Each structure stands twice: as structure tokens, then as C-alpha cells.
Amino acid sequence: MTMRFCDEVDVVVEAFSGFGVDEKSLISILGKWNKDEAKNFRNRTKFFIEDERHFEKWVVDQMDKIKREFLRFQGAIVLWTMHPWERDARLINEALIDGPKSYNVLVEIGCTRKSDELFGARKAYHSLYNRSIEEDVASIVTGVERKLFVALVSSYRYEGPKVHEETAKFEAKTLYNAVVNAAKKHPLEDEDVVRILSTRSKLHLKSVFKHYKEISGRDMEEVLEEAINLHADEKVKGGLTRVIVTRADVDMKVIKEEYRKKNGGTLINKIEGMANGNFKDFLLTLLARGG
């Protein structure tokens, strides 16, 4: 077995093993292998097993994973070309079908979209599914987060510059008291907590969270994560794709800067290191649009 072939096997394994698939490497190598080289590849890699009849076959989990990775580029392209309202409506519907591990999508859309954008998504949902987002969230979500989720997807927030600091301080104390008394009553079952989180403007909430940290010594974002208790496995790869595709022309510059502050590296370098092929090129192209 030549060193050239060993190197090619390593390249193919790498092409199969990332975030997306390195199509160019696969085409250039697999397209010229003969049947003996293909057999050697099957014998040398984790992707195949041999059963008691000495039959070589794909490991089902590996095969399914690679199929999903091949579809990432296609999925990103389809998502990018949709009207933003349809895109958000479909993302919400898919999250509801997928269950609790994807409910973070509801929070993401409910909290990051402008009021007109969220209203547009609700109109699109009507057209696509002949139901409202609100009724689907209310009937499908069963945990303590249901009230908050319904409120988030149906809100129409003030988007102006005014913030009432005294009100923000008072509401910070309200949130703090709800968290302190969580053993008696879950914070998301408190109507005032739901009202504050779902109706106040983003600038107002920023002030509320600032005052909350002054009172408690903790960031409110950390407490919310614990309270909502969304699954740790939140499909990070899918989430990264979704954020880049949906925010590329909105606030990507801010997202990249926040990522740098939090992680000490750039989002572009992260994608360079973890993604492959056409999928990587497309994500990098979208990141470049954000300035």
C-alpha cells in the first residue's frame, strides 16, 4: 500500500468527518480509485464493518451522519433563498415538531426579530399551515416555559430609544425576587416575569439586566438559561448555520464582535476550522456580507 494511497485515505476520512463535506476532495480521489483501493478504504476506516458472513457494509449511524452532512449545503442554500417571513415560520414549525431540544429556536426568533418581522412570520405561518403560531405553541409546548413562549411569539415590542430607568430598576427587583423564590414557584410561572421578558423593548431589557446584575451579582442571561432548561444538546451545528443564514444582512457585524469578546477568536476562523467544502465556502461568503 503506497504512501500516496494512505494519504488519500486520510483526506477522504477528513472530508467525511467535518461540518459539511469536502466535495472537491471526494470527487478527485474517489473518482479514480480502483476496486482494490476502494476495498482497502473500507477495511481501514470506521465507516464500515464486516458481519459474520464477511460482508462489508456501512455502519448505519455513520452513513446517516454523512447523509446529513451532504445535505447541509443544500439546506443552507434553500434557507437563504426563502423570504425571511417564510423562513422564520418554517423554522418555528420544525422546532415544534422536533420537540424540546429545539425550543431554543422559538426563543431565538421571538427575541431577535423586530416586531414587524415577527408579525410577518406569523402571517406566513397562517398561509403555510392554516394555523397560528400561537395556537401551535400553546398546544404543543407542555412545560413551564409554555406561557413565555406563547408571549414571545405573539409580542409586538416598542422599538424606540426611550428607557424608563426607574421602571427598569423596579422590574429588575421583580425578576430577582422571582429567582430567589424559585423553590416555591418557578420563575416562568410568574406572570410579571413573563410580561417583562415578552413585552419590554430590547433597550429596556438591557437596562433591566444591567440592574439585575447590580442586585444579584449574576448575569440574567445565565439565570434564564437555567430556568428555561433547554437541552444542552441544542444541535449546535444547525444553530450556527441558522444564525449565519438568517442574520447575515441584519446584525452579523455585532454577532461577530460578540463572538470575539466571548471566545477570544473570530467566527470566521471557527468556520474555517470546522466546516468543509461548498458548505464552508457559503457560510464564509455570508459572514463576509456582514462586514
Side-chain angles (χ1 to χ4, degrees):
M1 193 178 302
T2 66
M3 181 57 68
R4 178 190 62 81
F5 177 74
C6 293
D7 292 340
E8 288 178 345
V9 169
D10 290 340
V11 170
V12 172
V13 170
E14 179 67 23
F16 273 157
S17 301
F19 185 23
V21 177
D22 184 352
E23 298 91 347
K24 292 180 181 178
S25 293
L26 293 176
I27 291 169
S28 65
I29 294 174
L30 297 181
K32 65 181 179 58
W33 275 356
N34 59 41
K35 63 180 182 180
D36 291 330
E37 289 171 319
K39 180 177 177 59
N40 282 332
F41 169 73
R42 291 194 296 271
N43 291 338
R44 287 168 53 85
T45 63
K46 62 183 179 181
F47 304 119
F48 297 87
I49 57 173
E50 190 174 282
D51 64 16
E52 66 276 6
R53 299 181 182 87
H54 304 292
F55 176 69
E56 298 168 343
K57 59 184 180 182
W58 269 97
V59 175
V60 174
D61 288 347
Q62 292 287 347
M63 181 171 62
D64 291 343
K65 178 183 176 182
I66 290 172
K67 285 181 179 178
R68 288 195 299 271
E69 294 302 331
F70 269 109
L71 290 173
R72 286 196 188 279
F73 175 57
Q74 174 187 315
I77 290 292
V78 171
L79 206 60
W80 173 251
T81 54
M82 284 183 187
H83 189 288
W85 296 356
E86 178 188 4
R87 184 166 60 209
D88 282 346
R90 291 190 182 279
L91 287 170
I92 289 172
N93 183 255
E94 289 170 5
L96 290 171
I97 292 172
D98 207 24
K101 63 180 178 295
S102 294
Y103 285 170
N104 61 293
V105 176
L106 306 180
V107 178
E108 178 186 309
I109 292 175
C111 293
T112 62
R113 296 336 185 229
K114 293 182 178 179
S115 295
D116 286 342
E117 293 170 343
L118 188 56
F119 185 68
R122 289 159 62 191
K123 291 173 66 175
Y125 202 96
H126 284 178
S127 296
L128 291 169
Y129 306 110
N130 296 313
R131 300 184 304 277
S132 71
I133 292 176
E134 297 91 330
E135 68 179 297
D136 274 4
V137 172
S139 62
I140 293 172
V141 178
T142 58
V144 293
E145 64 268 32
R146 175 165 58 185
K147 286 183 180 179
L148 176 61
F149 288 177
V150 171
L152 284 177
V153 298
S154 58
S155 68
Y156 199 91
R157 301 175 191 266
Y158 167 69
E159 294 176 348
K162 293 183 179 179
V163 174
H164 300 281
E165 287 297 331
E166 290 304 313
T167 302
K169 289 179 182 179
F170 178 80
E171 291 181 341
K173 292 177 182 177
T174 299
L175 295 180
Y176 176 74
N177 290 333
V179 172
V180 169
N181 295 308
K184 298 178 182 178
K185 182 180 182 180
H186 195 289
L188 296 185
E189 294 178 311
D190 187 308
E191 291 185 3
D192 284 332
V193 171
V194 172
R195 173 185 57 79
I196 293 166
L197 296 179
S198 63
T199 65
R200 293 305 191 189
S201 72
K202 293 173 185 176
L203 286 178
H204 183 91
L205 285 176
K206 187 175 181 179
S207 180
V208 170
F209 294 168
K210 179 192 72 174
H211 292 303
Y212 180 92
K213 186 172 184 179
E214 291 171 356
I215 295 169
S216 68
R218 297 185 66 193
D219 287 326
M220 188 61 197
E221 289 87 345
E222 298 174 17
V223 179
L224 280 176
E225 286 182 10
E226 295 170 7
I228 295 174
N229 194 28
L230 295 173
H231 293 227
D233 178 16
E234 57 176 73
K235 298 186 175 178
V236 176
K237 290 181 179 179
L240 183 58
T241 305
R242 183 179 64 252
V243 169
I244 292 175
V245 170
T246 61
R247 311 307 292 176
D249 284 341
V250 183
D251 51 7
M252 184 52 65
K253 187 174 183 179
V254 174
I255 291 172
K256 288 192 289 188
E257 179 60 21
E258 288 300 317
Y259 182 91
R260 185 192 63 77
K261 290 179 182 177
K262 185 175 182 180
N263 298 283
T266 69
L267 189 53
I268 288 176
N269 287 342
K270 180 68 173 178
I271 297 300
E272 284 275 14
M274 70 183 293
N276 286 326
N278 293 331
F279 179 64
K280 177 178 74 174
D281 293 342
F282 184 58
L283 293 186
L284 292 175
T285 299
L286 294 184
L287 284 174
R289 291 171 65 95

